[in-house]
Amino acid sequence: MNDALDVDEGRVDLAVDGQRLTGTLLQPEAPVPGLLFVHGWGGDQEEDLGHAEELARLGCVCFTFDLRGHAGSEARQDEVTREDGLNDVKTAYDYLASQPLIDPSAIGVIGTSYGGYLSALLTKERRVRWLALRVPALYPDADWNVPKAKLNKEEVAAYRKQIRSPEDDRTLAACAAFDGDVLIVESGQDDRIPPETIQSYQAAFKRARSFTHRIIPDASHAMRDPADQRIYSTILINWVEEMVRSSRRAYR
């Protein structure tokens, strides 16, 4: 299903289901943990490059990429299903994990909104040690293969406003089985992800090795305010640094 087509100065093209994904690989000179970034719906990898660059300086191999239906393939966004999105994330993960510098037992995934939703699902199918989710979304399991852009928005909004459990939601079931470290960052002024969705995620991570929940009180879902972006960056960088340092101590 997936092949690395070429690498040129950090730029990577991946093939998945007849589509091409464009990514950027940032890596240091010594074997270190790997971090995969998954942007939100309507976004692109540019949103993650700043954080990836900072974490690469901490000694992590970081990989950002554009989900199909975004950036260069935005014209086809109305055709993209959640199955497509999950296949994209698995392909990107497999590429990152294949890098010779990567420790396969030390891979983290950082996802935003829809990207957080896909990242949580990924933990059921790939080995993930650290999971950082900013304003993670939830969707009903039904209509999995309906294009994401064509899902009933009112039904999705209503679904998110009810507390959900791993028994009736496949994403939360994946969270319930996850035994790594978790960070969830919530926006206090989020008009898309209500507190009930965050509470559903929080309750699902019962097996997590550690769980950290942070709220940025004045932040919106998109977090356009530079001050809120700086707060999030500090939270994320400090958390990843703590996780990486703990993993390195374990090797000593």
Side-chain angles (χ1 to χ4, degrees), residues 74-106:
E74 189 174 359
R76 304 191 64 180
Q77 190 173 92
D78 287 350
E79 304 171 11
V80 175
T81 68
R82 286 176 284 170
E83 179 75 20
D84 294 331
L86 184 56
N87 284 341
D88 292 350
V89 175
K90 288 191 290 186
T91 297
Y93 175 100
D94 291 343
Y95 174 77
L96 175 64
S98 73
Q99 300 306 303
L101 298 179
I102 291 289
D103 175 356
S105 70

Side-chain angles (χ1 to χ4, degrees), residues 28-212:
E29 297 179 356
V32 290
L35 296 173
L36 173 66
F37 289 79
V38 188
H39 65 77
W41 184 258
D44 58 42
Q45 64 175 305
E46 295 297 324
E47 300 174 1
D48 296 319
L49 279 175
H51 293 134
E53 289 167 354
E54 286 194 60
L55 292 170
R57 285 194 288 269
L58 289 178
C60 297
V61 176
C62 298
F63 186 52
T64 67
F65 73 103
D66 297 320
L67 291 162
R68 76 178 84 177
H70 296 76
S73 61
E74 189 174 359
R76 304 191 64 180
Q77 190 173 92
D78 287 350
E79 304 171 11
V80 175
T81 68
R82 286 176 284 170
E83 179 75 20
D84 294 331
L86 184 56
N87 284 341
D88 292 350
V89 175
K90 288 191 290 186
T91 297
Y93 175 100
D94 291 343
Y95 174 77
L96 175 64
S98 73
Q99 300 306 303
L101 298 179
I102 291 289
D103 175 356
S105 70
I107 295 179
V109 184
I110 300 167
T112 296
S113 191
Y114 175 62
Y117 167 79
L118 294 175
S119 299
L121 285 170
L122 177 70
T123 65
K124 191 68 174 177
E125 305 199 33
R126 296 294 188 273
R127 187 178 184 182
V128 176
R129 183 165 183 172
W130 306 298
L131 183 64
L133 307 175
R134 185 178 80 78
V135 295
L138 271 183
Y139 299 87
D141 291 342
D143 299 324
W144 173 252
N145 284 310
V146 170
K148 193 269 185 191
K150 296 181 181 179
L151 295 175
N152 186 298
K153 292 180 174 57
E154 289 75 20
E155 290 181 2
V156 171
Y159 185 83
R160 293 173 178 172
K161 290 179 180 179
Q162 299 293 322
I163 299 293
R164 301 294 170 180
S165 71
E167 288 71 32
D168 58 22
D169 185 285
R170 65 181 291 186
T171 308
L172 296 177
C175 295
F178 183 67
D179 60 1
D181 299 285
V182 179
L183 168 68
I184 290 183
V185 180
E186 179 180 356
S187 286
Q189 304 300 318
D190 200 322
D191 61 350
R192 297 185 188 179
I193 307 300
E196 291 84 356
T197 293
I198 302 299
Q199 292 165 19
S200 296
Y201 270 103
Q202 186 170 3
F205 283 112
K206 294 179 179 179
R207 296 185 58 197
R209 180 167 42 218
S210 70
F211 182 88
T212 303

